[in-house]
Amino acid sequence: GKDAENDVVVTDPVVSRRHCVIDFDIARGDVFIADLSTNGTFLNGCQLPSKSGGKVILTHGDEILFKSPEQGQAKFGYVVNLQPA
């Protein structure tokens, strides 16, 4: 999100202060994403469930977008790169 206290800061009017959280579950060895925003977070073109809907597992090559792919604007997001150590 765009809050200065975030690990990754994205300054864009559509991005919320705390847009989403990405969490590594050490016990399971999995990486999860949860949407915290009011505008939505998109994973591979599909909107993630709301904050109360839980978290979704990420896999290598997933595309995370902070703007709806239907907005017609230039996309801004990340491609997940999970490589074993």
Side-chain angles (χ1 to χ4, degrees), residues 13-59:
V14 178
V15 175
S16 299
R17 284 186 312 102
R18 293 192 66 227
H19 201 88
C20 67
V21 63
I22 296 175
D23 185 39
F24 176 57
D25 184 329
I26 295 171
R28 292 181 58 178
D30 291 324
V31 179
F32 294 91
I33 185 169
D35 181 24
L36 305 176
S37 72
T38 54
N39 295 322
T41 302
F42 298 82
L43 180 63
N44 300 322
C46 297
Q47 188 166 0
L48 291 175
S50 65
K51 338 177 188 194
S52 60
K55 54 189 179 181
V56 175
I57 194 166
L58 291 174
T59 58

Side-chain angles (χ1 to χ4, degrees), residues 52-73:
S52 60
K55 54 189 179 181
V56 175
I57 194 166
L58 291 174
T59 58
H60 180 75
D62 281 345
E63 181 183 45
I64 303 166
L65 299 177
F66 301 134
K67 295 181 180 181
S68 170
E70 298 174 0
Q71 282 184 318
Q73 299 174 350

